[in-house]
Each structure stands twice: as C-alpha cells, then as structure tokens.
Amino acid sequence: QSALTQPPSASGSPGQSVTISCTGTSSDVGGYNYVSWYQQHPGKAPKLMIYEVSKRPSGVPDRFSGSKSGNTASLTVSGLQAEDEADYYCSSYAGSNNLGVFGTGTKVTVL
Amino acid sequence: EVQLLESGGGLVQPGGSLRLSCAASGFTFSSFAMSWVRQAPGKGLEWVSAMSGSGSSTHYADSVKGRFTISRDNSKNTLYLQMNSLRADDTAVYYCAKGGITSPGMDVWGQGTTVTVSS
C-alpha cells in the first residue's frame, strides 16, 4: 500500500480556516467511508480528530470537520487557534486483507 | 481512565531482537482490535501491525512481514510486538493504539517507546 498524498504544509492566521487534502485511490479513500484524521503535536502521540470521514470523537471541537469527494478526503479547521499548530495525518481503510494506510502528513502553521 | 502504556524499547544491534509490550487499562481489552504504529525520526506515521480482539486475525505491513509478530494476552490486558532481524530502518518510536483495520479510527494511543537499531 502506498501512502496517501497530503500537502507538506498549510497555514493560516488566527480565526481563518485551513483545509488539508488527502488523496488516495479507489482501493482506499475512494472505496470506503473509513477515513480518519489525526493531530500530532511535537513529541506527543497522535490524537484522533475525525473518523468515518466526518464524525468527531467526544471532546474534539466542532471547528474540525471532514469531508470526502471521490478519491480525496479533506480536513477543514475553522477559526484557527494557536493550539491547532501541529502535524495532521489522514488514514484510510484499504480492504479486509490489508492494513490501513496513512497519509504523508501536513504541518499546519498558525501565522 | 482509558490508558495504554508501552515498554520494551531500547538500543539493539542490527539483526537483533526486541519485544515490545503494551499494557491496557480502563476498557474491555478483549473486545477491541489493537495496532502498532511507528514513526521514524522526522518522518510520518506507518501502520506496522494490527490484531483482532480475539487474536484470530492479524495484519502486517510489507516492511515487517516475516520479521515481526503481533500477539496479545487478553487475560493480562497486554499487547505484544516481537521484532526479529531488526534493521536500521526499523529505528522509530513505536506506538500502541486501540483500534484495528475496521475500527472507526484509533481512539486511544500510548505515549510510545523508542527502538534504536544501531551497531
């Protein structure tokens, strides 16, 4: 399985929105509604932010939203805050005989 | 409190072996698939292996297939990763996570344990 493709970086000013893309294939992102997004601060473990494309776990602010169109999933962070500065990774189910696959990661900078 | 605590990392020579452990608490361990995810220095996340709650189903990344073995002891609420024939490119922080390939995301992560393969 090849890694899903994410832009290396994204940025926005406080209060603005930033959208991160995650592009796969019909064998992963496009084939199933099992895309997750993780936030990782430096030196910390990843944290689940979005699952099943657009669902938020309890405790995750509604500033975080997810969507999917075809083979590309997206994470949008609205009302950017300083604490949103982190690395973000998408992940997708890739079939019953395969491990899932992660994206290449995107570093979000709050200007 | 739901918690995962990894242990067993360290420095090992190329070709050596290491066994990682992940002690789980705060949830019914046997009901959930579990995974190992690693992150090489300065790199992204790589899903290494996953196992179903019963232990009957396992999956491995091509990069570790035949060298790593995932297992679990549901009576001890512990997940393991036996790593053999270690190579320099196995150097990474290894995370234990609650969730598997069909789970709605990995919702609990340990703090990670560092494995360094070097002579």
Side-chain angles (χ1 to χ4, degrees):
Chain A
Q1 286 290 329
S2 298
L4 308 175
T5 300
Q6 298 180 232
S9 62
S11 63
S13 300
Q16 290 186 331
S17 295
V18 65
T19 297
I20 304 166
S21 62
C22 168
T23 301
T25 69
S26 58
S27 296
D28 38 63
V29 175
Y32 313 95
N33 288 322
Y34 288 106
V35 175
S36 304
W37 288 91
Y38 299 87
Q39 177 192 65
Q40 187 180 34
H41 288 109
K44 301 295 187 182
K47 175 186 176 183
L48 179 65
M49 305 302 284
I50 295 287
Y51 66 98
E52 293 179 0
V53 176
S54 59
K55 298 178 180 178
R56 279 188 311 276
S58 174
V60 172
D62 60 7
R63 303 184 292 104
F64 291 85
S65 61
S67 62
K68 192 187 85 166
S69 177
N71 295 339
T72 298
S74 298
L75 173 73
T76 297
V77 186
S78 306
L80 269 174
Q81 299 183 4
E83 61 261 36
D84 300 332
E85 185 162 294
D87 293 326
Y88 290 83
Y89 294 90
C90 61
S91 179
S92 174
Y93 177 72
S96 61
N97 294 324
N98 302 306
L99 274 179
V101 59
F102 281 102
T104 51
T106 298
K107 180 176 180 59
V108 169
T109 301
V110 180
L111 301 171
Chain B
E1 180 190 3
V2 177
Q3 196 170 9
L4 298 173
L5 185 63
E6 301 98 335
S7 60
L11 174 64
V12 61
Q13 292 187 338
S17 298
L18 214 52
R19 188 176 84 155
L20 306 183
S21 299
C22 171
S25 59
F27 64 100
T28 306
F29 182 69
S30 60
S31 295
F32 293 93
M34 298 290 294
S35 294
W36 288 100
V37 175
R38 70 183 180 184
Q39 187 169 35
K43 302 297 185 181
L45 301 174
E46 180 187 15
W47 207 329
V48 173
S49 184
M51 174 173 262
S52 62
S54 66
S56 62
S57 176
T58 59
H59 294 81
Y60 296 94
D62 288 343
S63 58
V64 306
K65 205 170 290 184
R67 300 187 300 122
F68 289 12
T69 302
I70 190 172
S71 63
R72 63 192 297 160
D73 185 336
N74 286 343
S75 68
K76 295 183 178 179
N77 291 346
T78 302
L79 179 75
Y80 302 99
L81 186 67
Q82 177 67 44
M83 304 185 295
N84 298 331
S85 303
L86 282 162
R87 313 185 302 220
D89 62 0
D90 294 317
T91 294
V93 175
Y94 284 74
Y95 294 102
C96 166
K98 172 176 167 281
I101 68 168
T102 58
S103 301
M106 289 178 274
D107 60 347
V108 182
W109 294 66
Q111 85 290 349
T113 188
T114 300
V115 173
T116 303
V117 184
S118 175
S119 55

